[in-house]
Amino acid sequence: MRSSFLVRVLAPLFTLSTAFAQDDACVEEDAAAGCVALESAFPTKVFYPGSTVYSYENSQFWSNTEILSPICIFRPTSASDIATAFTTIESTAAEFAVRGGGHMGIKGANSINDGVLMVLSNLTTLELSSDQSTLFVGPAYRWGEVFDFLAPYNLSVAGGRLSPVGVPGLLLAGGINFYGNQHGFAADNVVSYEVVLANGTVVNATSTSNPDLFWALKGGSSNFGIVTKFELSTFISKKVWAGTWSVANEYLPQFLEAIANFSSNISDPLSHVVPAVVPSGPNPTDTIGAAILFYDSDTISFPDCLKPFTDIPSIANTMAFKTVAEFAAENGQVVTDGINDVFVAGTVAGTTYDELMQGVQIINDTFFGALPALYAQIPLANISIIELDWQPIGALWIDASTANGKPGNALGLDSSKVYLCYAEVVEWIGSEYDTIVADWVESTTYAINNATLAAGLYDAFNYMGDSAGFQSIYPGYGAENEAKLLSISREYDPTRFFQTNMPGGFKIGA
Ligand SMILES: Cc1cc2nc3c(=O)[nH]c(=O)nc-3n(C[C@H](O)[C@H](O)[C@H](O)COP(=O)(O)OP(=O)(O)OC[C@H]3O[C@@H](n4cnc5c(N)ncnc54)[C@H](O)[C@@H]3O)c2cc1C
Ligand SMILES: *[C@@H]1O[C@H](CO)[C@@H](O)[C@H](O)[C@H]1NC(C)=O
Ligand SMILES: *[C@@H]1O[C@H](CO)[C@@H](O)[C@H](O)[C@H]1NC(C)=O
Ligand SMILES: *[C@@H]1O[C@H](CO)[C@@H](O)[C@H](O)[C@H]1NC(C)=O
Ligand SMILES: *[C@@H]1O[C@H](CO)[C@@H](O)[C@H](O)[C@H]1NC(C)=O
Ligand SMILES: *[C@@H]1O[C@H](CO)[C@@H](O)[C@H](O)[C@H]1NC(C)=O
Ligand SMILES: *[C@@H]1O[C@H](CO)[C@@H](O)[C@H](O)[C@H]1NC(C)=O
Ligand SMILES: *[C@@H]1O[C@H](CO)[C@@H](O)[C@H](O)[C@H]1NC(C)=O
Ligand SMILES: *[C@@H]1O[C@H](CO)[C@@H](O)[C@H](O)[C@H]1NC(C)=O
Ligand SMILES: *[C@@H]1O[C@H](CO)[C@@H](O)[C@H](O)[C@H]1NC(C)=O
């Protein structure tokens, strides 16, 4: 079928043929044909530039750097819409991208130029099972909406720690959450997935039905199917003792020691911490410490396990009893919409205080050693946030993952070690600084990792949720798990639809 839209898109291609590589023109032509075919199947669910829905949906991304120019946006309202769309897309050879909450801050991971953008905003299941032991949640949601829904029932789930983060991408990456030392990764708490496979079949993956797919979705991202519903275990949560504990520059040596101290002795399952050092300028004295502290109790404050942090005098803190919904909203206030952001991940692994302390120190020293070079290239007014944080994952966490039962997750972590995962965060205003930031974070990350490697502390695990586009993920899960993910993806997607037609995101390979 040739519609006026197709002619409108294709005509300039032919007139500008000298300016376009033939391949680009083909990709765009396939995508335009894909949009036309989708529109004929779903007249009310396909949107073009200039429409209100296109403008709205094409703005729903955490970072400006993610915003591209899809030829059309497809907004399905059911799993069967997606199944039909796959057939249509495959027959036109169009390329597409899928966006859940839009928080993966990587260009091309959740949107596309010269392609179809599928947005999951209308997959809005949100209901408790009749006995309230599980929650069915669609990929349309942000974690804040989920916690708000559960709060009146005095329930919570393992999910994002900042309210605006999207549900599906976090669960498919693993999910570092407040309850990790009790319940493992958020993904370990998914008891069933409704998934649209490449051939349009909608399946249910559980520990007993499609168990290999069930395992692969716990860390394997978008290589296996589009998840249209997650079923999560719930647990009772009235209030928790939580907040941010900020310390002055002069206490930073003690603050870094507290990170190693806590991480080498994670002994209380109710605890979770995210300590960060936060500069506000190029000089070493411009930096403060700020730790998100969490304790899953509505009666106990200042527990012993958090003492390494709370023994340091605070310049400000928000510690109080509050619901998880309130805490996620509080943490979410640091998210500024409409600016440019990048996260980068890395890990040191060790077992003793001394090893972890050396790892923390190397990461601090390398990062802050490189920082003046970034400030030299970007005006202070154009830097929104810079942060270096650590997330410790040790035996309590990894054993809690295992305790959720077979087949476990794909992340491949070993409970005899503590993984101190670090994340670099840079947020800035003005796209003319994009390349400067990208180059700086890449070279700084290589410098950190080469230094931790030389010290014998480097681990190849890069937490997907915090990783940048230049990083690789699956090798860090171990060769065996990487090979298993590849073979499961070949089993469920024999035509390699997700590897070829959906090029963005962390791909396992053809
Ligand atoms: C401010 C901020 C706070 C964060 N806090 C946390 C945290 O507390 N814990 C944590 O673990 N991580 C955290 N993250 C990282 C977060 O897990 C990732 O950014 C994750 O990708 C977000 O999910 P999303 O749905 O918003 O992502 P999207 O960008 O929408 O999706 C991520 C990837 O998954 C694919 N995808 C999306 N939905 C589906 C689906 N239904 N089926 C198949 N593939 C799909 C997309 O195509 C894309 O490649 C945070 C990130 C930010 C920016
Ligand atoms: C789809 O999602 C959008 C954005 O949240 C909303 O405005 C619209 O009403 C939804 N449509 C349907 C059919 O659910
Ligand atoms: C939630 O907990 C509060 C405080 O204990 C209690 O007053 C309330 O009745 C509980 N609500 C439900 C739905 O259980
Ligand atoms: C998957 O199947 C189980 C067992 O039949 C069922 O309880 C669950 O609701 C299904 N999950 C989804 C997401 O459809
Ligand atoms: C480990 O932490 C607990 C508090 O959770 C504390 O009682 C204990 O003394 C600590 N052990 C070491 C070796 O620091
Ligand atoms: C860890 O912190 C606790 C409480 O602040 C302290 O008693 C202990 O000496 C610290 N251990 C190390 C190795 O720093
Ligand atoms: C962190 O690294 C910077 C740069 O090397 C250094 O000046 C600073 O003292 C370090 N901070 C701590 C607390 O060791
Ligand atoms: C720098 O940031 C300011 C706001 O702080 C903004 O107005 C300006 O446009 C930015 N500069 C560039 C080059 O984008
Ligand atoms: C070490 O640095 C080199 C180049 O800077 C980089 O290619 C390599 O990946 C780094 N090693 C690690 C483990 O990051
Ligand atoms: C769809 O793919 C799955 C996984 O490869 C397979 O089990 C199923 O038989 C296929 N269905 C059809 C209709 O081809």
Side-chain angles (χ1 to χ4, degrees):
M1 191 180 83
R2 291 270 176 268
S3 82
S4 61
F5 172 77
L6 189 56
V7 173
R8 192 151 42 83
V9 169
L10 295 182
L13 280 179
F14 296 124
T15 51
L16 289 175
S17 58
T18 51
F20 276 85
Q22 190 56 37
D23 283 356
D24 289 348
C26 287
V27 168
E28 190 166 337
E29 184 179 342
D30 291 340
C35 286
V36 169
L38 277 174
E39 192 182 20
S40 88
F42 302 103
T44 63
K45 300 179 190 179
V46 175
F47 306 93
Y48 291 105
S51 73
T52 314
V53 172
Y54 182 102
S55 304
Y56 167 77
E57 293 291 356
N58 208 36
S59 70
Q60 299 301 297
F61 294 91
W62 172 52
S63 172
N64 281 345
T65 55
E66 299 169 56
I67 297 175
L68 300 176
S69 302
I71 294 194
C72 66
I73 294 182
F74 171 53
R75 194 163 70 178
T77 60
S78 67
S80 82
D81 283 358
I82 296 177
T84 304
F86 282 175
T87 315
T88 308
I89 287 172
E90 196 161 28
S91 69
T92 58
E95 290 188 352
F96 72 106
V98 173
R99 191 205 67 221
H103 272 63
M104 182 174 274
I106 299 173
K107 197 185 285 297
N110 47 22
S111 189
I112 190 164
N113 284 326
D114 302 334
V116 178
L117 172 60
M118 183 189 299
V119 298
L120 305 177
S121 325
N122 285 153
L123 296 169
T124 49
T125 304
L126 189 59
E127 63 193 29
L128 283 163
S129 62
S130 52
D131 66 359
Q132 302 191 356
S133 68
T134 63
L135 174 75
F136 292 90
V137 55
Y141 291 100
R142 313 295 181 102
W143 287 103
E145 296 169 302
V146 174
F147 296 136
D148 287 346
F149 173 81
L150 291 172
Y153 300 96
N154 292 333
L155 292 174
S156 189
V157 289
R161 294 159 301 183
L162 280 71
S163 54
V165 179
V167 166
L170 181 139
L171 290 173
L172 293 166
I176 302 181
N177 68 95
F178 296 130
Y179 299 97
N181 288 320
Q182 292 176 76
H183 300 293
F185 285 95
D188 296 314
N189 295 273
V190 182
V191 299
S192 72
Y193 300 83
E194 180 187 83
V195 193
V196 185
L197 301 179
N199 65 9
T201 309
V202 181
V203 300
N204 185 347
T206 71
S207 63
T208 51
S209 140
N210 301 300
D212 46 359
L213 176 62
F214 183 70
W215 174 85
L217 291 169
K218 297 171 189 283
S221 200
S222 58
N223 291 290
F224 309 92
I226 301 305
V227 179
T228 46
K229 207 188 286 178
F230 299 87
E231 182 183 6
L232 306 178
S233 294
T234 61
F235 26 84
I236 307 263
S237 180
K238 292 181 181 175
K239 288 193 171 180
V240 298
W241 190 69
T244 297
W245 188 269
S246 302
V247 311
N249 182 265
E250 63 188 293
Y251 290 106
L252 283 182
Q254 200 179 329
F255 186 77
L256 296 191
E257 284 162 25
I259 299 169
N261 187 331
F262 179 90
S263 305
S264 61
N265 177 32
I266 309 172
S267 48
D268 192 328
L270 305 184
S271 64
H272 180 65
V273 301
V274 190
V277 280
V278 188
S280 57
N283 300 317
T285 51
D286 292 334
T287 300
I288 61 161
I292 290 178
L293 303 180
F294 174 93
Y295 197 66
D296 184 19
S297 168
D298 59 358
T299 54
I300 298 169
S301 57
F302 293 97
D304 284 351
C305 61
L306 296 178
K307 267 182 175 296
F309 296 101
T310 57
D311 279 351
I312 307 173
S314 73
I315 43 174
N317 77 76
T318 63
M319 302 307 302
F321 292 105
K322 55 192 79 165
T323 63
V324 166
E326 288 164 344
F327 190 39
E330 174 187 324
N331 294 331
Q333 285 168 13
V334 304
V335 177
T336 308
D337 287 329
I339 62 171
N340 300 19
D341 319 74
V342 68
F343 279 3
V344 195
T347 301
V348 288
T351 52
T352 65
Y353 171 85
D354 288 342
E355 285 172 348
L356 296 171
M357 185 63 225
Q358 193 189 355
V360 170
Q361 195 71 56
I362 291 171
I363 296 164
N364 170 83
D365 295 357
T366 313
F367 182 86
F368 283 96
L371 199 53
L374 184 64
Y375 279 109
Q377 299 176 81
I378 306 180
L380 217 47
N382 292 77
I383 295 181
S384 174
I385 296 180
I386 296 180
E387 180 185 306
L388 174 62
D389 64 47
W390 286 270
Q391 310 184 84
I393 295 174
L396 278 181
W397 187 301
I398 298 163
D399 290 345
S401 287
T402 311
N404 280 303
K406 286 201 163 22
N409 65 49
L411 303 177
L413 301 183
D414 163 3
S415 68
S416 71
K417 291 191 247 179
V418 176
Y419 297 83
L420 198 40
C421 303
Y422 71 84
E424 302 161 59
V425 180
V426 180
E427 307 192 358
W428 68 100
I429 300 155
S431 58
E432 76 180 58
Y433 306 114
D434 290 6
T435 311
I436 292 169
V437 175
D439 291 348
W440 185 86
V441 293
E442 188 165 343
S443 66
T444 302
T445 305
Y446 288 146
I448 292 173
N449 290 344
N450 277 293
T452 62
L453 193 61
L457 299 166
Y458 171 79
D459 192 277
F461 180 68
N462 290 324
Y463 175 57
M464 184 190 296
D466 292 335
S467 291
F470 70 88
Q471 303 193 279
S472 56
I473 307 301
Y474 305 116
Y477 293 1
E480 193 185 325
N481 283 9
E482 188 180 19
K484 202 167 141 190
L485 284 172
L486 179 60
S487 89
I488 295 169
S489 90
R490 286 178 174 152
E491 179 190 339
Y492 283 91
D493 179 11
T495 64
R496 312 315 282 142
F497 177 63
F498 295 116
Q499 305 302 316
T500 49
N501 294 62
M502 185 191 176
F506 288 108
K507 284 297 182 283
I508 189 71

